[in-house]
Amino acid sequence: EAQVTQNPRYLITVTGKKLTVTCSQNMNHEYMSWYRQDPGLGLRQIYYSMNVEVTDKGDVPEGYKVSRKEKRNFPLILESPSPNQTSLYFCASSLNAGLGNQPQHFGDGTRLSIL
Amino acid sequence: DAKTTQPPSMDCAEGRAANLPCNHSTISGNEYVYWYRQIHSQGPQYIIHGLKNNETNEMASLIITEDRKSSTLILPHATLRDTAVYYCIVKGARGYQKVTFGTGTKLQVIP
């Protein structure tokens, strides 16, 4: 089954403890992206990747890192999490980053709580 | 990419057509209009997209005005399961790059 898989789905942690949220897609998609969703603010893009080893900042990249060493994986790294990064996070992918007529496929989300 | 404007909320009676508007007055000639929806806190689900012509699939119809400055998503026979937040976004032909979703329209289908 074609899907975008995020892990963990839920995480409660403490300020300053490094964490990684993994994202994997099995569709051989070029484009991958991370979003965060907060009440009243909609979906905001954190980082995106057009292909392996090609990443760029979205609208809210501060406090996050990403890497794209392989096509299928796009982990989101919080080196020193803070309470303002408590949010619902979504990973998404699409087939061809160079074409405009490719819809994004989203994962089920990761709910992070940072105390 | 062009920005979009949507009403924050709408109601629709069950069984009736739901017409969700989107304004994208700064759209460029090679930019596509996409619609997604998000039910509760699930991952957004792709619905439909179009460039110039009207489009229809098993979920919905997309009507794009001739000047392409606005569009309407039509759910022909709304059900309670269509209650969701609907997002209209515009994306260029060069690919996704940075994407802005906005806050969408909260559609409430009423029994």
Side-chain angles (χ1 to χ4, degrees), chain A residues 1-5 25-27 29 105-106:
Chain A
E1 180 189 350
Q3 57 186 6
V4 178
T5 303
Q25 49 89 9
N26 62 358
M27 298 169 279
H29 282 178
H105 302 257
F106 283 81

Side-chain angles (χ1 to χ4, degrees), chain B residues 18-40:
Chain B
N19 297 285
L20 292 92
C22 180
N23 180 285
H24 31 79
S25 58
T26 60
I27 193 170
S28 299
N30 62 357
E31 290 182 314
Y32 289 81
V33 179
Y34 278 81
W35 284 84
Y36 291 80
R37 74 179 182 185
Q38 185 177 26
I39 298 172
H40 297 301

Side-chain angles (χ1 to χ4, degrees), chain A residues 19-52:
Chain A
L19 69 90
T20 299
V21 185
T22 64
C23 175
S24 179
Q25 49 89 9
N26 62 358
M27 298 169 279
N28 201 35
H29 282 178
E30 287 186 353
Y31 179 94
M32 296 186 74
S33 180
W34 276 103
Y35 299 86
R36 63 177 287 173
Q37 186 171 35
D38 303 289
L41 296 177
L43 281 159
R44 295 182 294 168
Q45 192 174 39
I46 303 171
Y47 270 94
Y48 63 93
S49 170
M50 301 288 278
N51 213 326
V52 176

Side-chain angles (χ1 to χ4, degrees), chain B residues 2 16 25 44 50 53 59 69 82 84 109-110:
Chain B
R16 303 297 293 269
S25 58
N53 300 320
M59 290 182 69
K69 293 184 177 182
D82 292 322
V109 180
I110 302 166

Side-chain angles (χ1 to χ4, degrees), chain A residues 31 35 37 40-43 45 48 50 57-59 88 90 94 97-104 106-107 111, chain B residues 32 34 36 38 40-46 49 87 89 91-103:
Chain A
Y31 179 94
Y35 299 86
Q37 186 171 35
L41 296 177
L43 281 159
Q45 192 174 39
Y48 63 93
M50 301 288 278
K57 297 176 181 178
D59 290 321
L88 178 59
F90 290 102
S94 70
L99 296 176
N101 61 345
Q102 299 290 329
Q104 290 191 76
F106 283 81
R111 190 170 290 280
Chain B
Y32 289 81
Y34 278 81
Y36 291 80
Q38 185 177 26
H40 297 301
S41 295
Q42 298 175 19
Q45 175 191 23
Y46 164 76
H49 73 279
Y87 297 96
I89 69 169
K91 197 60 211 124
R94 286 179 57 221
Y96 273 104
Q97 299 181 34
K98 189 182 284 191
V99 176
T100 301
F101 264 78
T103 53

